[in-house]
Amino acid sequence: MKAVASEPALARALHRSYILRVSSDTDSFEFQVSEHLRLSGVYWGACALHLLGELQSLDAAQVVSFVRSCQRGCGGFGGNLGHDAHMLYTLSAVQVLALFGALHTVDAGRVMRYVASLQRPDGSFAGDEWGEVDTRFSYCALCCASLLGKLGDIDVAAAVRYVRACENFDGGYGCEPGGESHAGQVFTCVGALAIGGELGSVRSEELAWWLCERQTPGGGLNGRPQKARPDADVCYSWWVLSAMCLLRRDGWIDGEALRRFILSCQDEEEGGIADKPGDLPDVFHTFFGERGESIHGTDGVPPIDAAHAMPASVMEQLRAEQALEPSRTLRGASPPRPRRGRPSSVPHRRLQRARAAPRRRQSS
Ligand code: 7TP
Ligand code: ZN
């Protein structure tokens, strides 16, 4: 028998200080190169902290005010102050506000007018006014609308029809009709269908096979059928796992092997998680690594709503307040876990939104 060294575990305290360090050290290389996607960086960092039970380590008022300062006249959000609005950052903004219980600080109708303005007659969505179309933006639109409780503001049936048109013979999905299947696109399409209430139209068996074939001998997951070299990457653990979870097939992945891969990508000295062993950590992979860990429950990472990519506790709160449709959490198919002993780190929230106008029921 092999001698077993001390059991590896998620370095929670190190990751917390890593995230706080990179979000305050504005002179760092990482901060500089991510200037254009700051709003998404804030979402990755804040969500990663939330999963560590440490959201209160951030100054909520400061974050919320920064997010709001990125909103443009059109109602959408740019990636940073003064940047043009884009669907990607509009979703990040809504996600961050939801994390901090601050959705009521924006005019949801105005945000949705921006989102709806990017839907095209075939149901697809452009990323911004320049018109690049991609199923990623369909996901952003549906997720945004769902978090705001305003799915009725877009043409969900047409959106779903377009995403379905991007399904391939292998059961996977691409970024446009005929586009090659890729784990990231599979997540956005399956997530969009889940939010749109059309998971039943997914060819689950074929797709789950394609997804579980993404696991490499090292335990990590890759994004598509083997290219030249083994290319497992921590962030794919999320794309693949959450899609599997939505299809109720997350048990098809070797979770223990995946966990070992993710833990081997941790920086044991400085904190943070890298894309692969030996690489430099970043906020993006730290967040996605934690999300991959969430499936086990062993490292104390709380469950995540697979479709919305948000902590399940935040979604519960939103649903209570907005009567959203239920959707599955990342550990939904696994045996129930004891409830977390620690109270939610989310500050007490009031999401009483002005409901002057009668709310439209979402048609399903
Ligand atoms: C360092 O090179 C990249 C390449 C692509 C940096 C960003 C991008 S991206 O914006 O198109 N994007 C997100 C992404 C972010 C980071 C990163 O963010 C580092 C530090 C920060 C601080 O906020 C790093 C990579 C990255 N990628 C690229 C990538 C991931 N795994 C391997 N690679 C080469 C993903 C990429 C696309 C993306 C995926 C999900 C999502 O929600 C948004 C964008
Ligand atoms: Zn990656």
Side-chain angles (χ1 to χ4, degrees), residues 59-122:
D59 180 340
Q62 195 191 320
V63 174
V64 168
S65 131
F66 170 71
V67 171
R68 296 186 59 201
S69 71
C70 294
Q71 190 172 24
R72 309 289 295 185
C74 60
F77 292 76
N80 209 327
L81 234 114
H83 291 211
D84 289 344
H86 195 285
M87 197 71 104
L88 289 170
Y89 306 116
T90 302
L91 173 58
S92 293
V94 168
Q95 287 171 315
V96 173
L97 293 174
L99 270 178
F100 285 97
L103 273 182
H104 63 282
T105 64
V106 289
D107 177 349
R110 213 172 120 229
V111 178
M112 285 309 298
R113 273 194 294 285
Y114 172 73
V115 172
S117 76
L118 295 175
Q119 190 167 25
R120 307 192 316 165
D122 64 357

Side-chain angles (χ1 to χ4, degrees), residues 222-243:
N222 63 22
R224 61 182 119 187
Q226 207 62 31
K227 309 231 282 186
R229 62 197 170 82
D231 50 2
D233 178 322
V234 159
C235 64
Y236 294 124
S237 48
W238 170 258
W239 311 126
V240 174
L241 268 179
S242 51

Side-chain angles (χ1 to χ4, degrees), residues 290-302:
E290 284 180 22
R291 288 160 84 177
E293 281 292 281
S294 159
I295 194 164
H296 304 284
T298 43
D299 280 302
V301 182

Side-chain angles (χ1 to χ4, degrees), residues 30 34 36-37 41 44 233 235 239 275 282-285 288:
E30 172 163 359
S34 57
H36 63 289
L37 51 75
W44 299 322
D233 178 322
C235 64
W239 311 126
D275 58 348
D282 60 59
V283 168
F284 179 86
H285 289 96
F288 285 88

Side-chain angles (χ1 to χ4, degrees), residues 325-338:
E325 297 284 0
S327 68
R328 303 198 60 232
T329 65
L330 185 51
R331 279 209 300 281
S334 315
R337 233 169 36 97

